[in-house]
Amino acid sequence: MPRMLEAYDPAWPSLFEALADGIRSVADPEWVIEHIGSTAVPGMRAKPVIDLAIRVRDHDDFERHRPALEDAGWVVGSSVTTHPVIVRESDGIRSAIAHFFTAAEWETVNQRILRDWLRENPADAARYAHAKCDAVAAAARGSSSYNAAKTPVIQELVDAARRARGLPSVPVSDKRLAERE
């Protein structure tokens, strides 16, 4: 069963800043790090997991800094297949997810595009929030995983956001099928 959604917590931006500062202090202080995911959208109900998008020069840049990140408590391990991801847990519960994107792909990262769209389009943010609640209910019934249940709405919203930027549609699902939690 997925973690429950919580009301927006105004502390989430500060938690993001602390995580970003911690990453920069052990890795590359020049990395661009942005708050993404539902906790980055003011007013959005979310699982209390802070998502970070980190711009690296290339995948070797991430690999050079990976040992220091692991020494700082981040672990590699995710069902995401399209880019490197590290996670942080507290008492066995995931508290943060850091997604690494190359400079070449940065401007077309779906997670950044969706965050911006939701911040700028309250009706779509409300639609997404409703889809997330439905996804929790579907996961509780065992009829679908949380991520699989909300993916159709995410795809529609990302398609709209990409279209508004003159970008083509691309699949938003980036997880292995067997692990779409």
Side-chain angles (χ1 to χ4, degrees), residues 51-95:
D51 285 280
L52 304 95
I54 303 171
R55 187 180 73 196
V56 294
R57 282 179 284 291
D58 52 35
H59 291 296
D60 289 340
D61 188 19
F62 165 73
E63 288 299 332
R64 273 191 302 282
H65 293 92
R66 191 173 103 177
L69 292 163
E70 289 173 337
D71 288 347
W74 292 90
V75 294
V76 174
S78 168
S79 60
V80 173
T81 61
T82 57
H83 56 274
V85 174
I86 57 175
V87 299
R88 180 177 284 274
E89 293 185 350
S90 178
D91 297 323
I93 298 172
R94 188 172 286 183
S95 59

Side-chain angles (χ1 to χ4, degrees), residues 63-178:
E63 288 299 332
R64 273 191 302 282
H65 293 92
R66 191 173 103 177
L69 292 163
E70 289 173 337
D71 288 347
W74 292 90
V75 294
V76 174
S78 168
S79 60
V80 173
T81 61
T82 57
H83 56 274
V85 174
I86 57 175
V87 299
R88 180 177 284 274
E89 293 185 350
S90 178
D91 297 323
I93 298 172
R94 188 172 286 183
S95 59
I97 305 170
H99 302 259
F100 292 81
F101 302 100
T102 66
E105 62 195 347
W106 187 251
E107 293 305 319
T108 59
V109 169
N110 286 332
Q111 292 88 336
R112 296 179 65 241
I113 291 170
L114 178 61
R115 175 214 47 212
D116 293 348
W117 184 261
L118 294 175
R119 286 176 172 174
E120 297 164 6
N121 295 278
D124 281 342
R127 181 173 173 225
Y128 180 51
H130 184 74
K132 288 168 45 128
C133 291
D134 288 349
V136 168
R141 290 189 308 272
S143 60
S144 179
S145 78
Y146 173 73
N147 283 327
K150 65 182 186 162
T151 295
V153 170
I154 292 172
Q155 185 70 60
E156 290 176 23
L157 296 173
V158 169
D159 284 349
R162 290 179 68 87
R163 220 176 8 261
R165 292 181 179 206
L167 298 170
S169 174
V170 296
V172 296
S173 182
D174 61 3
K175 296 177 176 59
R176 287 186 292 275
L177 288 175

